Each structure stands twice: as structure tokens, then as C-alpha cells.
Amino acid sequence: MRTDTGQVFRLEDYRPSDYLIPKTDLTFRLHPEATVVTAELTVVRREGTQARTPLILDGDGLVLQRIEIDGVALAVSEYVATPEQLTISSPPVAGEFRLVVETLVSPSTNSALMGLYRTSGVYCTQCEAEGFRRITYFLDRPDVLSIYTVRLEALKSEAPLLLSNGNREETGKLKGGWHYAIWHDPFPKPSYLFALVAGDLGFMADEFVTASGRKVDLGIYVEHGKERLAGYAMDALKRSMKWDEEVYGREYDLDIFNIVAVSDFNMGAMENKGLNIFNDKYVLADENTATDADFANIEAIIAHEYFHNWTGNRITCRDWFQLCLKEGLTVFRDHEFSADQRSRPVKRIAEVRTLRSHQFPEDQGPLAHPVRPRRYREINNFYTATVYEKGSEVVRMIRTILGADDFRRGMDLYFERHDGEAATIEDFLKVFEDVSGRDLSQFALWYHQAGTPNVTVSTSYNAAAREFVVEIEQSVPATPSEARKRLMHIPLAFGLVGRDGKDMAYEGPDGATVENGVIHLKKRRHVVRFGNIAQRPALSINRGFSAPVTLSVEQRKEDRFFLARHDSDAFSRWQAYNTLLTDALISASRKGLGGKTPEFPEKLVELAGAIAGDETLEHAFRALALALPGEADIAREIGKNIDPDVIFASRQVLAETIARSNEDALRSLYGSLAFKGRFSPDAASAGRRALRNTLLDYLAILPGGVALAHAHFAKATNMTDRAAALAVLTHRHPRAHETIDALKTFERRFRSDQLVMDKWLTIQATAPGAATLDKVRALTEYAGFTMHNPNRVRALIGAFATANQTAFNRPDGAGYEFFARAVLEIEPRNPQLAARLATALRSWRSLEPGRREKAREALLLISRQDGLSPDLRDIVERTLA
Ligand code: TRP
Ligand code: ZN
């Protein structure tokens, strides 16, 4: 494992490489402990580089075996090879040469899951961001594009399947039971997109005919016996390919597109050219093993990786500071894809919930950074919600500002202008300026400035003047290393909702401030006057969550209630009700500090029943509206001196009150939603299940609730219902014998299926209350659990730390200490996983003083460890700073 050198990388230090590598020929002689990697690189001195400039290649833990230039072995005086670097002090003056470098790597002992490693006996690679340098010495940076030809050799019995990027050009037998395959990828690519897979896998084959009539062979490779479980992923792939043709005019460009599912993977998936590698969690699914949420994730991630072929691969990033160029844009594309495949408003609400629960705390805490950061110590730690999710919101705002037509023209220009290049955010913004004639320089701050802007709004109505006035102010809070902030361009979609629920027409505001239903906030304060308004409207603002800001609107409660039922924008309808719930929970939590049972407004409680039974609303929408704001959401809104136990208690009382007051309605609706037909993962069917399962969560609180939830569990014919019922039992009635029975039944049925058992682990790890810590500790000893597999770790330790407010934040600090020790246990094997996990402590400063101190001690426990990896050291030091 590398230890931290404290080196900081800065955007302003970027300069092009001295040398280029137009051709890369790799040979792998695969062996579990001793794989020989021979790289034959065509190296060219860049125009403008002085002759005799040293060639310095990146490495990471490498052992050099052999080195030659133009067929002649180098003398020891001609190069210096360390595990981290290969320096050739004076390369041939002619300026172009063939460099042969042979390294020896050990896939079996590579537990970091970066570079070449083995998972369940399969060889695979992960090279983004800087994993290629763990395979061979290279200019391992995204602006060095090369054409790869890859020869794989393996023992045929061990690896009958040999895959790499591009097209398969040749296969053949070798002596001693070995065989080989040669792959050629005609598209120049950076090293982070290189991939190989070799092993014994089953597969599902299909094909796709592109818009221009080219046939593409599709393959999804999975463990033998699981081929059938790739059906949904295959279907999602074909739909993604079609969608990118229809919506962006982008066709696939190779004859083969392969996906491989592996069970040890640090992230969701990886977009290697023509050979995507996936965490099997995001490929394998059927109704018995996957929930509706799993199906939706599979669809989104398959699409995401596929869309990278254009946004990421054909046009890549100049340097890692530009990561959002491919990630933010590709997330935006996958969000839109899912919105088109499912319900647009429901998808948008789900996105906003994720943004608020993952990105807002990041942006408002010690790890805050701009969508395009200016400095980093460890790039692995910048695959964040800010780069991905806020990055997507920024692209969405560009579309809001330009309109759909100019946005599409801008994207067309982007593909035309930068195809085959390694581009920057400036390049991206420029295409939209060029097609629209707009100046996006103030807007560009969304990329450069960290922090969630706060927007406050107040309104007044003058009946005599028939004028409705909206006053809006923005402020951007200071974030680490950026004390002073500039004013942003914030596009706020809005409507003035009349008493009939329709948007009212208006006159007045100038076209620069209000354009096509959007208020463009550019100054600190705007006073927007709407004329010819006959009645006081209710202001619906930030419709569709047009800008990722925190909003506080001074608004009459009755307007909020009205909007919750009548706003024509479904997102805003959800938001209005959600704000009412959040406000009520916050004030209950404040009062709760006095030890009294909180009370909730009757109107709010009744509204839950009304929304539940409103047949004009989609099932999924109703389910989302009824799901109360999470404990962490409430904590975030409160902001400081958080006591998670008080928040938990208030939330419980509200849930109970809603259930009791609306019992008959909820019960009959629950009964009416039972479904006997064939399972389908489509959005409408999933919505129906979501609503029924949300209702179960309420009804389980009432008398007879245990029996009801147990029956729901026992009769479940799919994993969505089964897991939902198991969670309701475990969280609402942890000690009931029905719960213990259900957990056992589940375990007995699924114990050989690790991915399903991850749900069983998560459900138990997220049971509220201090006692869960002991349960989690015990589960670390469970036979199916191992700290060595990222999915297991995230299912148990990750879920405990991020989704269990009361147990993780035990007042005695035992939750934090257990967690810190788990992080330290994981770190030597897999620093990237440990660092990601450790971000769960990032909001420690907003806790009440007792817990705050305990959390700090846990962070110190980690930081005092000798020889920490750059990954974990970076997170812990920034968190403590
Ligand atoms: N580029 C991948 C994606 O977003 C992310 C990714 C997969 C990754 N594996 C990784 C990033 C390992 C860093 C390290 O689609
Ligand atoms: Zn991505």
C-alpha cells in the first residue's frame, strides 16, 4: 500500500505531456501471482519539447523486468525504475521510438481492486482514475490518447474467455494448454479506459441494429448459472442505445459491446471502451432477488455507462479536474433517460431527494469542493456527489437557461467540435455560448464555486395596484478555502398559481429577469413586479427544482397547503407538502427537547390521508409524498446541535398520528392495492408496490400491525414486497417473534445468494436504537459477511453509518468508535473503500456537543494511525480541519 506523501495537485499547474504515445501494444501472460505484462509503446516527442527531455512514466507498486528501446536493452545508467516511476534520462533524439517495458504483477494479491486483480477466479481490471499505472509504466493521464492492441494469453482451462476493448481480431491455441486472443480498439483512448477480463463466465447474447443499419453484437458476461439474471440489464442496454440515437443523435461505434459483472468492485460500474465492467449488484436481477429500486438502479447505471461512450470516451477529460465534464453530463443524460422510461415527476422527486441527502451535506460540510475542483491530494476522493449529482444539476440549468432546442444544438456542436479530444469545462460552456449568443461567464461560477446558495423569497400583493411583488435574495455561505463568494446566476422556474389552480398570466417584469417562466437571479437582490394580477396568487417557485439551492419562502401556511394539492408542477406539489412536514417535524423536535410529546396540526395529518386516496395521482407519487422526511433530512434542516434521538422520537409521533387519524382510509387503500397478476418491473407496477409498502409501514404501527406485516412478508411473491415487510418488522417490532421468524426464514432461503443477503444485513443494520450496534457487531461474524468485499461492507458497515441515525450516533460514542475501527481494518487492503466509508463522519460538527466530541475522538483515532494511505489521510484531515 502507498503511504501519503502529502503531494497536492493543482489545476493551474496543468501542462501538456512532453511525449505522446500514439500506439500501445500490450501482451498479458496471465497468471494468478505472476502475470507478465509486456508493453510496446510507440513514443513520440511532442512538438516543442526539447530533444533529450527525460521521459517520465507513472507507475504504482511496479517491478520492472525488462526495458528496451528500438530493440536494444537499456543499460542501467540509462534509466531509473522505482515502483512509482520510470525515468529514461535521454531518449533517442530522433523523436520517435519503440519502448518495450516488461513488468510483473500479482492479480491474486491485489486487494485494492485497482489495476489488474482477481475476483471469484476471474481476472479483471479497473483503471480509472490512476489504476493503469499499477499494470505498466505509462503516461497515465487522460489527455494522452493511444490506439491499443492487446494480446491476452491464459491457460485455457482457467480462462476460456479472453476479453478486452474494441474488436476481436484473432484467437488461437498455444502450447501447454494455453490459448490467446488479440483485441484491437481503433479509437484512440486514455489509459483509464483500458480493460481486460479473462476467466470462465457464462453469457447472454443479443444484438442491436443502429439507426444507420450496422449490427452490434451485445454480450453480458456473468457467473455460470446466472445468465438468466442478465435479461433486464440487456433490455435496459438496448433501450439506452436507442434513446441516445433518438435524443442526442449518437450511434454506437464498434461491432461489439460487452458488459461483465463482477462481485468485487469499488464503485457501481466502469465505462471502459466497448467493455463495461459492472458491480454485479447492478446487472443481476429477477423478481425473486431484486427490488424495484434495484431494477431502477440497473436501468440507470447500464444507461450511464453506455452513454459514457460519447460523453467520456469519444470526448474525454483533459485532466482529472475536469471529471465533471464527463460525469455531471453523463448523470444528466441518465437522469433524462430514466425520466423518459418512467414517470418524469417521480424521477425528479427521487433525484432531488438524493441530491439533498448526499450532495447538500457534502457542500455544507468540511469536504465541500467546487463541481470542478482546483486542487486535490487523492483523485479517488473526488468521485463525489458534488461532481456527479450537482454536476448534473448544472447541466440541467444550462438547458433551462437556453431552452431545449439551443441545448441540443450546443450538444451537437460539442460532439462535432471535440470528438476525439480531451476537453475542458471551458470548452463545454463555449459551445452553448456559441449556439445561443449568451454570456455564461457568471453562470460558470456553478463549476468554480463550492457551497449551496441560499435563496430567500418574500411576496406582497397590492390589490388596488393589481400588483404582485416578489422579493428574492441570494447568499452563498463560505466553504473551506473559499471565504468570499461571488453572486451566482440562479434560474428559478416559477408560476403564479390562481385560485382555480391554473397559472395566472401577468405583465411587467423585464425580459432579462423573467423569461419563459424562469426568474433569472443574478444580483444579490431582485424585486420582481408582476402587473395586472386580479387576485393574490400563491407563488410556486423553483419548480422542478430548477436550481440546486436551499430555499426559504416566507409564505402563508394556507398557500402551502393549497400548492400541495393544486400546483400544476408535480414536483412543487410534492415539495409543498414535504416542506409542511419538515417544518412541523423541526418545531416538534425543538419542543421535544422539553420532554413533552409533540403535537401536529390536524390539517397536515388529514392531508396525508387525502393524498394517499387521491386517484388522480400516480401511485409512486403518493408513496413519495407519504414517506416522511428522513431523520437525516430533518437534521440537515435544523443544521446545528443535532440530537438524533429527539428527531427520531418526533418523527415516530408524526407517523403514529398519521396512521391513527387516517386508519380506515389507509387500510382500505392498502387492501385495494393487492395484486395477483404476473410480475412486471415497469414503473406503474413498481409504483403500486411502493404505495402499498409505504402504507404497510404506517399500518404496522397500529394494533395488529405485527401480524399484518408478517402476513405481507409470508405472502410476498417478489423481493420488493418481501424486503419491505422484513424492514417494517425489523424496524417497527424488533423483538416480536414474528420478526425473528421472518429474519430466519429469509436467511434460510437466500443464504447462498450474497447480493440478496446484503439486503438482510442492511435491514438489520438500519434498525433504530442503540442496541443495533451490538447486532451489527455480531453480524460482522456472520458466515456470509467479509470485510474484504465492498458490497458486504457497504451493506453492513456503510448502512449502519449512513442510514442509522440513532445507533450510529449513540450518545456514548460506541457507534463512532466501532466504525472507526472498521475503517482502519479495511484500509490496508482497500484504501479507496475505507476513505469513502469514512466520509460518513463528515457532519460531525453539526451534532450536539457531547456527540460532537465523541465523533471527533473517532476521527482522531483514525488520523493517529501510522502509515495511512493518501486516500484515507486526505478525507480524515479535511474532515477534522
Ligand atoms: N467512471 C465510473 C462511472 O462513473 C466511476 C468509477 C468506476 C470509478 N470505478 C471506479 C472511479 C474506480 C474511481 C475508481 O461510471
Ligand atoms: Zn460515470
Side-chain angles (χ1 to χ4, degrees), residues 128 269 271 304-305 308 311 326-328 330-331 334 383 388:
E128 187 178 5
E271 70 264 26
H304 179 97
E305 307 309 332
H308 267 315
T311 51
K326 72 177 177 81
E327 294 304 347
T330 304
V331 170
D334 86 56
Y383 288 76
Y388 277 66

Side-chain angles (χ1 to χ4, degrees), residues 363 390 445-446 449-455 473-479 482-490 524 549-550:
D363 226 357
K390 188 176 180 180
L445 285 175
W446 282 104
Q449 195 165 267
T452 313
N454 298 316
V455 174
E473 245 184 81
Q474 64 163 300
S475 67
V476 187
T479 53
E482 288 177 60
R484 296 203 45 213
K485 301 283 183 177
R486 290 156 66 197
L487 295 169
M488 319 265 292
H489 174 184
I490 301 173
R524 189 178 64 83
V549 298
T550 62

Side-chain angles (χ1 to χ4, degrees), residues 359-372:
Q359 199 276 326
F360 278 22
E362 186 167 273
D363 226 357
Q364 296 162 13
L367 302 179
H369 56 274
V371 172
R372 187 181 69 183

